[in-house]
């Protein structure tokens, strides 16, 4: 079973931004896949179990960006 959540990341403007965010989120335990839509800032994270919002926020912050909100 896997869970997919979509988050909005503010401040991404290029491919390097996408790589930075993807790298930090992929490093989280249980994360299977990360898909980023650069024009909208939507980031879909598929994981083995639900991720704590603070954990996702910290990973995005580590990449140098800001988590704007969440969706399902």
């Amino acid at each position: 079973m896997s869970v997919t959540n979509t988050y909005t990341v503010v401040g991404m403007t290029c491919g390097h931004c996408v790589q930075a965010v993807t790298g930090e989120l992929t490093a989280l335990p249980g994360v299977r896949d990360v898909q980023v839509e650069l024009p909208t800032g939507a980031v879909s994270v598929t994981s083995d179990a639900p991720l704590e919002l603070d954990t996702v926020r910290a990973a995005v912050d580590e990449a140098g960006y800001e988590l704007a909100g969440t969706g399902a």
Side-chain angles (χ1 to χ4, degrees):
M1 182 184 122
S2 61
V3 178
T4 301
N5 286 301
T6 302
Y7 307 93
T8 301
V9 177
V10 178
M12 295 185 300
T13 58
C14 66
H16 176 74
C17 302
V18 171
Q19 288 178 341
V21 170
T22 300
E24 289 296 333
L25 290 171
T26 301
L28 295 176
V31 171
R32 293 176 174 230
D33 186 50
V34 176
Q35 296 293 322
V36 178
E37 292 182 26
L38 185 58
T40 63
V43 179
S44 295
V45 180
T46 303
S47 56
D48 293 331
L51 299 171
E52 292 289 329
L53 182 58
D54 287 344
T55 301
V56 174
R57 189 183 317 278
V60 170
D61 185 62
E62 183 67 27
Y65 304 95
E66 181 182 342
L67 194 62
T70 61

